[in-house]
Amino acid sequence: MSSLRRVILLTIFCLSLFVDAFTNKWSDHFLDSIGTDFHQPASIVPWVLTAYSLNFGSFLLLAGRVSDIYEPKPVFVSGLFLIGVLGIGAGFIGTIIGLIVLRALQGIGAAMTIPSATTMLTAAFTTL
């Protein structure tokens, strides 16, 4: 594997880890406006964050095991696809419950990217 390809892979995997961390924390700053836009009480709105974090943590080990049993590349691509498509869907959703469900599914997609990215990154840089 050429060093240019390794650098490209490193960039892709680091960006995916950044997207996971950013997706987890972006809505901290927007909770008030989410509550205002959806006309929801302050007790419901934090579930937008909690649903993502709960599913991310819950599915991390399972996604790692799936990545180990099967190839990590399709797991990684599926996770990024879930994050992207559900993020677009979350932008058009009209109810707070729909937003919470989409954020929960995004957490599963993020859990799929972390272990598979780590596996592929390790494989790319251990065979020098």
Side-chain angles (χ1 to χ4, degrees):
M1 185 180 306
S2 70
S3 58
L4 176 64
R5 184 174 174 155
R6 285 189 180 131
V7 168
I8 291 171
L9 288 174
L10 178 65
T11 304
I12 290 170
F13 297 144
C14 287
L15 282 175
S16 72
L17 296 175
F18 170 76
V19 165
D20 289 339
F22 181 75
T23 305
N24 190 16
K25 291 297 179 185
W26 70 268
S27 51
D28 280 349
H29 305 291
F30 303 112
L31 286 180
D32 291 335
S33 62
I34 289 172
T36 303
D37 290 346
F38 289 113
H39 308 291
Q40 296 296 319
S43 61
I44 300 291
V45 177
W47 276 101
V48 174
L49 295 174
T50 306
Y52 181 92
S53 299
L54 215 75
N55 280 335
F56 176 76
S58 298
F59 283 91
L60 196 58
L61 289 175
L62 179 64
R65 184 66 180 148
V66 169
S67 178
D68 288 341
I69 292 174
Y70 304 106
E71 291 293 318
K73 186 175 180 181
V75 176
F76 178 76
V77 171
S78 299
L80 281 181
F81 180 77
L82 275 175
I83 292 171
V85 168
L86 295 172
I88 292 170
F92 293 106
I93 201 76
T95 63
I96 191 76
I97 299 299
L99 181 62
I100 291 170
V101 168
L102 289 179
R103 291 283 294 160
L105 293 173
Q106 269 189 321
I108 295 172
M112 293 169 69
T113 60
I114 299 284
S116 55
T118 306
T119 301
M120 290 189 293
L121 187 63
T122 303
F125 283 93
T126 53
T127 56
L128 297 173

